[in-house]
Amino acid sequence: MITIRNLTFKYRTKDMFDNVDMDIEKGKITSIIGPNGSGKSTLVKILVGLYRYNGKIEINNIPLLKDNRKEIRKNIGVVFTNPDNQFVAETVMDDIAFTLENMNYKKIDIRKKIEEVSKYLGIYDILECNPHDLNSNQKQLVSLASALVHDPKILILDEALTMLDLYDKEKILKILKELNSKGLTILNISHDIEDTLISDKIYVLDKGKIVLSGTKEEVYKEEDKLHKLGFELPFMVELSNRLMFYDLIDHVIYDMEEMVDILWK
Ligand code: ADP
Ligand code: MG
């Protein structure tokens, strides 16, 4: 879905990426994790066409160039960490409508799309509220609605789960998994390794370089490398490893509900 070849990018005062390659596969959940300052948000800004870069990037088979940014953006939905910075309107309804108005959707279609996405995400009842008055989970759901309302092919989350508590995070992760099973490609970016449990593939970024990549099984095996970058194994992996040591389970369990289920039996 996204192919990145020889990506090179410099800020005026800083070399950021030097010949980076990456593949974000269609229909998969790919995570990029890295410490603060490793270049994750820079990459997102490049992908949404905000920065000029050297190298080759294709999104859904369209080369990412300056003059087709608008076309490319139709395929992408983005959610950032702090939803408060993303809200542009006085009501949730108008906020979600904003994306569609920018894409010249007809009024009647806008209503229909908003009704659809808000019902799906469980925020239909708060469409008339001011987004700033909502709790953090609702705010994140509104951002998610704005990112999804135009049916993008790929959803990019830049630390979108960071501000949520464990319970709300679980809820949103569930929604993401379901959207993915319906065909949405997801690029999930975080500095927290716990957010990578749902991924098919993980890239670990450090100072603009990919230092580790592979399936989550492959990446979680590299405990020493992860430690050096300041990452512990995700709690579920750590717990599974201990339980396997005592022969209580025979494989790593990533899902808490599944774990509870198995241990209960
Ligand atoms: P991350 O999202 O992984 O925390 P960023 O992509 O935000 O990292 O930043 C990567 C590096 O680039 C950091 O060292 C940051 O200070 C620097 N940086 C970010 N934005 C700019 C900018 N506009 N000009 C110069 N340096 C920047
Ligand atoms: Mg960032």
Side-chain angles (χ1 to χ4, degrees):
M1 183 60 81
I2 302 181
T3 322
I4 300 173
R5 291 289 174 273
N6 304 317
L7 171 64
T8 301
F9 176 80
K10 296 179 188 15
Y11 284 115
R12 210 166 294 161
T13 50
K14 183 182 176 67
D15 290 353
M16 190 70 254
F17 298 120
D18 182 24
N19 277 309
V20 167
D21 292 345
M22 245 185 225
D23 288 288
I24 314 301
E25 273 177 68
K26 196 173 181 161
K28 298 269 164 76
I29 301 180
T30 303
S31 289
I32 302 178
I33 53 165
N36 284 327
S38 53
K40 305 182 297 295
S41 296
T42 305
L43 181 65
V44 174
K45 286 174 190 158
I46 293 172
L47 292 178
V48 297
L50 288 178
Y51 293 151
R52 292 181 63 158
Y53 62 93
N54 284 309
K56 223 173 116 183
I57 298 179
E58 279 186 5
I59 299 180
N60 201 26
N61 297 319
I62 309 172
L64 172 61
L65 306 167
K66 200 169 165 230
D67 53 2
N68 64 4
R69 274 188 302 205
K70 257 198 143 159
E71 199 55 40
I72 293 242
R73 280 300 293 269
K74 283 185 191 161
N75 291 325
I76 304 178
V78 192
V79 185
F80 295 96
T81 318
N82 192 344
D84 283 306
N85 299 338
Q86 262 184 299
F87 296 138
V88 291
E90 301 279 304
T91 67
V92 170
M93 166 94 80
D94 290 348
D95 203 85
I96 304 174
F98 185 74
T99 315
L100 299 177
E101 281 160 2
N102 270 336
M103 292 179 183
N104 304 319
Y105 275 65
K106 288 198 207 97
K107 268 223 158 68
I108 181 162
D109 294 330
I110 292 181
R111 285 191 87 98
K112 216 178 93 204
K113 297 298 300 172
I114 293 179
E115 191 179 315
E116 216 176 87
V117 76
S118 61
K119 280 185 176 160
Y120 177 66
L121 294 175
I123 53 171
Y124 184 69
D125 293 339
I126 56 169
L127 285 178
E128 296 304 326
C129 297
N130 187 319
H132 293 287
D133 296 337
L134 304 173
N135 70 37
S136 59
N137 186 51
Q138 290 170 322
K139 282 179 182 172
Q140 210 53 279
L141 287 171
V142 172
S143 294
L144 194 56
S146 298
L148 291 173
V149 71
H150 60 297
D151 296 319
K153 298 198 165 57
I154 174 158
L155 178 68
I156 303 179
L157 306 154
D158 187 4
E159 310 262 9
L161 307 169
T162 306
M163 310 262 281
L164 298 173
D165 63 34
L166 205 63
Y167 179 71
D168 288 343
K169 200 185 251 198
E170 286 285 323
K171 266 206 307 212
I172 293 201
L173 283 174
K174 246 195 192 145
I175 293 173
L176 293 177
K177 262 203 260 184
E178 189 180 294
L179 287 166
N180 175 249
S181 70
K182 291 181 186 169
L184 183 70
T185 303
I186 297 177
L187 178 56
N188 169 41
I189 294 173
S190 178
H191 69 270
D192 187 351
I193 197 166
E194 295 293 338
D195 299 341
T196 62
L197 286 170
I198 56 165
S199 23
D200 299 298
K201 184 167 184 181
I202 301 175
Y203 284 101
V204 184
L205 203 62
D206 184 38
K207 300 189 187 85
K209 289 196 168 55
I210 295 167
V211 288
L212 198 57
S213 67
T215 62
K216 57 177 181 266
E217 289 79 9
E218 287 165 344
V219 168
Y220 297 157
K221 246 187 259 164
E222 302 287 341
E223 219 177 323
D224 290 343
K225 276 193 192 169
L226 289 171
H227 274 167
K228 281 194 190 115
L229 295 164
F231 292 115
E232 302 290 332
L233 288 179
F235 172 72
M236 291 303 291
V237 178
E238 199 84 71
L239 178 62
S240 295
N241 285 344
R242 301 258 181 113
L243 293 172
M244 284 196 288
F245 179 79
Y246 290 110
D247 279 333
L248 289 167
I249 57 175
D250 61 4
H251 63 286
V252 177
I253 296 168
Y254 297 104
D255 185 86
M256 181 60 100
E257 275 174 26
E258 191 189 340
M259 176 69 91
V260 172
D261 228 39
I262 288 178
L263 291 180
W264 190 245
K265 281 173 194 154

